[in-house]
Amino acid sequence: GESVGLHLPTLSVQEGDNSIINCAYSNSASDYFIWYKQESGKGPQFIIDIRSNMDKRQGQRVTVLLNKTVKHLSLQIAATQPGDSAVYFCAETTGNQFYFGTGTSLTVIP
Amino acid sequence: EAGVTQFPSHSVIEKGQTVTLRCDPISGHDNLYWYRRVMGKEIKFLLHFVKESKQDESGMPNNRFLAERTGGTYSTLKVQPAELEDSGVYFCASSQVWGTTDTQYFGPGTRLTVL
Protein backbone atom coordinates (compact mmCIF):
# COMPACT_ATOMS: atom_id res chain seq x y z
CA GLY A 1 0.00 0.00 0.00
CA GLU A 2 0.92 3.65 -0.13
CA SER A 3 2.90 5.28 2.60
CA VAL A 4 2.67 9.00 2.87
CA GLY A 5 3.87 10.28 6.17
CA LEU A 6 5.06 13.37 7.92
CA HIS A 7 8.28 13.68 9.88
CA LEU A 8 6.77 15.73 12.71
CA PRO A 9 3.18 15.46 13.93
CA THR A 10 3.30 18.92 15.58
CA LEU A 11 5.14 22.12 14.88
CA SER A 12 5.17 25.37 16.84
CA VAL A 13 6.58 28.57 15.38
CA GLN A 14 6.74 32.18 16.41
CA GLU A 15 4.61 34.61 14.49
CA GLY A 16 6.65 36.13 11.71
CA ASP A 17 9.06 33.21 11.43
CA ASN A 18 9.13 30.85 8.48
CA SER A 19 7.59 27.38 8.81
CA ILE A 20 8.69 24.22 7.10
CA ILE A 21 6.44 21.16 7.05
CA ASN A 22 7.87 17.95 5.65
CA CYS A 23 6.34 14.92 4.02
CA ALA A 24 7.80 11.63 2.81
CA TYR A 25 6.20 9.46 0.18
CA SER A 26 7.00 5.93 -0.89
CA ASN A 27 5.63 5.57 -4.42
CA SER A 28 8.22 6.75 -6.92
CA ALA A 29 5.53 6.61 -9.63
CA SER A 30 3.52 9.41 -7.99
CA ASP A 31 3.43 12.34 -10.34
CA TYR A 32 1.22 14.89 -8.67
CA PHE A 33 1.32 16.26 -5.14
CA ILE A 34 -0.89 18.60 -3.19
CA TRP A 35 -0.74 20.36 0.14
CA TYR A 36 -3.98 20.88 2.01
CA LYS A 37 -4.72 23.03 5.06
CA GLN A 38 -7.40 22.00 7.49
CA GLU A 39 -8.65 24.49 10.03
CA SER A 40 -10.69 23.45 13.02
CA GLY A 41 -14.24 22.52 12.05
CA LYS A 42 -13.55 22.74 8.34
CA GLY A 43 -12.58 20.37 5.60
CA PRO A 44 -9.15 20.34 3.95
CA GLN A 45 -8.52 23.29 1.68
CA PHE A 46 -6.19 23.26 -1.31
CA ILE A 47 -3.05 25.33 -0.78
CA ILE A 48 -0.64 24.50 -3.55
CA ASP A 49 0.24 21.67 -5.89
CA ILE A 50 3.24 20.49 -7.83
CA ARG A 51 3.80 18.02 -10.61
CA SER A 52 6.69 15.60 -10.72
CA ASN A 53 8.37 17.43 -13.61
CA MET A 54 9.00 20.36 -11.27
CA ASP A 55 11.08 20.68 -8.12
CA LYS A 56 9.76 23.97 -6.82
CA ARG A 57 6.59 25.97 -7.03
CA GLN A 58 5.71 29.22 -5.33
CA GLY A 59 2.43 30.70 -4.29
CA GLN A 60 1.49 33.56 -2.07
CA ARG A 61 3.71 33.13 1.02
CA VAL A 62 3.94 29.40 0.34
CA THR A 63 6.51 27.36 -1.53
CA VAL A 64 6.42 23.64 -2.22
CA LEU A 65 9.65 21.77 -2.82
CA LEU A 66 9.80 18.31 -4.34
CA ASN A 67 12.85 16.09 -4.11
CA LYS A 68 12.13 13.00 -6.17
CA THR A 69 15.51 11.47 -5.42
CA VAL A 70 14.66 11.00 -1.76
CA LYS A 71 10.88 11.09 -2.25
CA HIS A 72 10.42 14.11 -0.07
CA LEU A 73 7.97 16.99 -0.23
CA SER A 74 8.01 20.12 1.86
CA LEU A 75 5.80 23.13 2.39
CA GLN A 76 7.39 26.40 3.36
CA ILE A 77 5.28 29.20 4.78
CA ALA A 78 6.91 32.61 4.89
CA ALA A 79 6.22 35.06 7.70
CA THR A 80 3.87 32.69 9.49
CA GLN A 81 0.71 34.31 10.81
CA PRO A 82 -1.78 33.22 13.50
CA GLY A 83 -4.24 32.37 10.73
CA ASP A 84 -1.81 29.74 9.48
CA SER A 85 -2.46 27.62 12.56
CA ALA A 86 -4.05 24.44 11.23
CA VAL A 87 -3.34 20.82 10.32
CA TYR A 88 -1.46 20.45 7.05
CA PHE A 89 -1.77 17.35 4.88
CA CYS A 90 0.30 16.31 1.93
CA ALA A 91 -1.28 14.09 -0.70
CA GLU A 92 0.16 12.19 -3.63
CA THR A 93 -1.32 10.43 -6.62
CA THR A 94 -0.33 8.47 -9.69
CA GLY A 95 -3.54 9.54 -11.38
CA ASN A 96 -6.03 7.29 -9.66
CA GLN A 97 -6.56 7.80 -5.98
CA PHE A 98 -5.10 10.40 -3.68
CA TYR A 99 -3.06 9.13 -0.75
CA PHE A 100 -2.85 11.49 2.22
CA GLY A 101 -0.37 11.77 5.04
CA THR A 102 -1.37 11.75 8.69
CA GLY A 103 -1.10 15.53 8.99
CA THR A 104 1.11 18.02 10.85
CA SER A 105 -0.46 20.36 13.35
CA LEU A 106 1.04 23.85 13.06
CA THR A 107 0.65 26.22 15.98
CA VAL A 108 1.67 29.84 15.59
CA ILE A 109 2.75 31.52 18.80
CA PRO A 110 1.89 35.25 18.89
CA GLU B 1 -21.22 29.93 -4.89
CA ALA B 2 -21.96 27.44 -2.15
CA GLY B 3 -19.26 24.97 -1.26
CA VAL B 4 -19.55 21.30 -0.50
CA THR B 5 -21.95 20.71 2.37
CA GLN B 6 -22.31 17.69 4.59
CA PHE B 7 -24.99 16.62 7.00
CA PRO B 8 -24.99 15.97 9.87
CA SER B 9 -21.90 17.65 11.27
CA HIS B 10 -21.83 15.19 14.16
CA SER B 11 -23.47 11.84 14.78
CA VAL B 12 -23.27 9.67 17.87
CA ILE B 13 -24.76 6.22 17.57
CA GLU B 14 -24.50 2.88 19.30
CA LYS B 15 -22.85 -0.16 17.85
CA GLY B 16 -25.27 -2.03 15.62
CA GLN B 17 -27.27 1.03 14.63
CA THR B 18 -27.52 2.53 11.17
CA VAL B 19 -26.31 5.95 10.15
CA THR B 20 -26.68 7.79 6.85
CA LEU B 21 -24.37 10.64 5.94
CA ARG B 22 -25.22 13.10 3.22
CA CYS B 23 -23.04 15.15 0.92
CA ASP B 24 -24.10 17.93 -1.41
CA PRO B 25 -21.33 18.72 -3.89
CA ILE B 26 -20.71 22.02 -5.58
CA SER B 27 -23.33 22.53 -8.27
CA GLY B 28 -22.12 21.29 -11.63
CA HIS B 29 -19.41 19.04 -10.20
CA ASP B 30 -19.77 15.60 -11.72
CA ASN B 31 -17.10 14.05 -9.53
CA LEU B 32 -17.81 13.26 -5.92
CA TYR B 33 -15.45 11.56 -3.49
CA TRP B 34 -15.83 10.12 -0.02
CA TYR B 35 -12.91 9.96 2.40
CA ARG B 36 -12.52 8.97 6.02
CA ARG B 37 -10.06 10.01 8.68
CA VAL B 38 -9.75 7.85 11.74
CA MET B 39 -8.40 9.72 14.78
CA GLY B 40 -4.73 10.57 14.36
CA LYS B 41 -4.37 8.74 11.09
CA GLU B 42 -4.30 9.68 7.45
CA ILE B 43 -7.26 10.64 5.33
CA LYS B 44 -8.21 7.54 3.38
CA PHE B 45 -10.06 7.33 0.10
CA LEU B 46 -13.34 5.43 0.15
CA LEU B 47 -14.89 5.88 -3.27
CA HIS B 48 -15.38 8.10 -6.29
CA PHE B 49 -18.55 8.84 -8.25
CA VAL B 50 -18.70 10.26 -11.72
CA LYS B 51 -22.24 11.54 -11.91
CA GLU B 52 -24.34 8.66 -10.61
CA SER B 53 -21.83 5.91 -11.44
CA LYS B 54 -19.26 4.47 -9.06
CA GLN B 55 -15.94 5.01 -10.79
CA ASP B 56 -13.81 3.54 -8.03
CA GLU B 57 -14.99 1.99 -4.78
CA SER B 58 -11.80 0.17 -3.90
CA GLY B 59 -11.46 2.04 -0.64
CA MET B 60 -14.76 0.94 0.87
CA PRO B 61 -13.90 -1.04 4.02
CA ASN B 62 -16.55 -3.74 3.75
CA ASN B 63 -20.13 -4.41 2.74
CA ARG B 64 -21.50 -2.58 5.76
CA PHE B 65 -20.84 0.60 3.82
CA LEU B 66 -23.16 1.59 0.99
CA ALA B 67 -22.80 4.76 -1.04
CA GLU B 68 -25.34 6.08 -3.49
CA ARG B 69 -25.66 9.07 -5.73
CA THR B 70 -29.04 8.84 -7.35
CA GLY B 71 -29.53 11.43 -10.07
CA GLY B 72 -25.91 12.42 -9.95
CA THR B 73 -26.42 15.22 -7.46
CA TYR B 74 -26.12 14.62 -3.73
CA SER B 75 -24.68 11.44 -2.30
CA THR B 76 -25.38 9.37 0.76
CA LEU B 77 -23.10 7.03 2.65
CA LYS B 78 -24.87 4.50 4.84
CA VAL B 79 -23.18 2.42 7.49
CA GLN B 80 -25.23 -0.58 8.58
CA PRO B 81 -24.67 -1.98 11.13
CA ALA B 82 -22.12 0.44 12.58
CA GLU B 83 -19.11 -0.93 14.44
CA LEU B 84 -16.75 0.81 16.88
CA GLU B 85 -13.97 1.03 14.30
CA ASP B 86 -16.20 3.05 12.00
CA SER B 87 -15.73 6.10 14.22
CA GLY B 88 -13.94 8.95 12.50
CA VAL B 89 -14.51 11.98 10.34
CA TYR B 90 -16.07 11.36 6.97
CA PHE B 91 -15.22 13.91 4.32
CA CYS B 92 -16.85 14.45 0.99
CA ALA B 93 -15.17 16.30 -1.86
CA SER B 94 -16.19 17.26 -5.36
CA SER B 95 -14.42 18.31 -8.52
CA GLN B 96 -15.52 19.53 -11.89
CA VAL B 97 -13.25 17.53 -14.13
CA TRP B 98 -12.61 13.81 -14.00
CA GLY B 99 -9.10 13.12 -12.96
CA THR B 100 -7.33 13.50 -9.68
CA THR B 101 -5.32 16.43 -10.94
CA ASP B 102 -8.39 18.61 -10.83
CA THR B 103 -8.77 20.44 -7.54
CA GLN B 104 -11.03 18.66 -5.11
CA TYR B 105 -13.11 20.87 -2.84
CA PHE B 106 -13.79 19.34 0.52
CA GLY B 107 -16.80 19.65 2.76
CA PRO B 108 -16.48 20.26 6.52
CA GLY B 109 -16.88 16.57 7.31
CA THR B 110 -19.22 14.51 9.47
CA ARG B 111 -17.79 13.35 12.76
CA LEU B 112 -19.16 9.89 13.49
CA THR B 113 -18.83 8.37 16.93
CA VAL B 114 -19.90 4.78 17.45
CA LEU B 115 -20.29 3.81 21.11
Side-chain angles (χ1 to χ4, degrees), chain B residues 1-3 24-30 94 96:
Chain B
E1 179 184 285
D24 286 77
I26 292 173
S27 179
H29 281 195
D30 289 340
S94 73
Q96 192 166 31

Side-chain angles (χ1 to χ4, degrees), chain B residues 9-26:
Chain B
S9 56
H10 293 83
S11 180
V12 181
I13 61 173
E14 294 191 349
K15 176 182 173 180
Q17 290 186 320
T18 297
V19 63
T20 300
L21 314 180
R22 172 169 171 147
C23 168
D24 286 77
I26 292 173

Side-chain angles (χ1 to χ4, degrees), chain A residues 54-55 89:
Chain A
M54 304 171 68
D55 53 22
F89 293 94

Side-chain angles (χ1 to χ4, degrees), chain B residues 17-108:
Chain B
Q17 290 186 320
T18 297
V19 63
T20 300
L21 314 180
R22 172 169 171 147
C23 168
D24 286 77
I26 292 173
S27 179
H29 281 195
D30 289 340
N31 297 275
L32 187 150
Y33 311 82
W34 282 99
Y35 293 90
R36 175 174 73 174
R37 186 184 187 210
V38 174
M39 177 70 76
K41 299 199 172 180
E42 69 271 24
I43 298 173
K44 280 199 168 182
F45 169 86
L46 296 178
L47 88 159
H48 169 207
F49 282 100
V50 178
K51 297 186 180 179
E52 67 275 10
S53 300
K54 292 175 185 174
Q55 180 65 33
D56 181 353
E57 55 183 327
S58 61
M60 294 288 265
N62 50 62
N63 59 10
R64 296 185 293 103
F65 289 74
L66 175 64
E68 294 181 322
R69 194 184 181 195
T70 306
T73 54
Y74 71 91
S75 174
T76 58
L77 179 64
K78 181 192 286 188
V79 185
Q80 178 183 32
E83 298 289 344
L84 299 179
E85 64 265 24
D86 301 332
S87 295
V89 180
Y90 289 77
F91 291 106
C92 174
S94 73
S95 68
Q96 192 166 31
V97 176
W98 180 22
T100 50
T101 54
D102 187 37
T103 300
Q104 294 184 21
Y105 297 89
F106 280 77

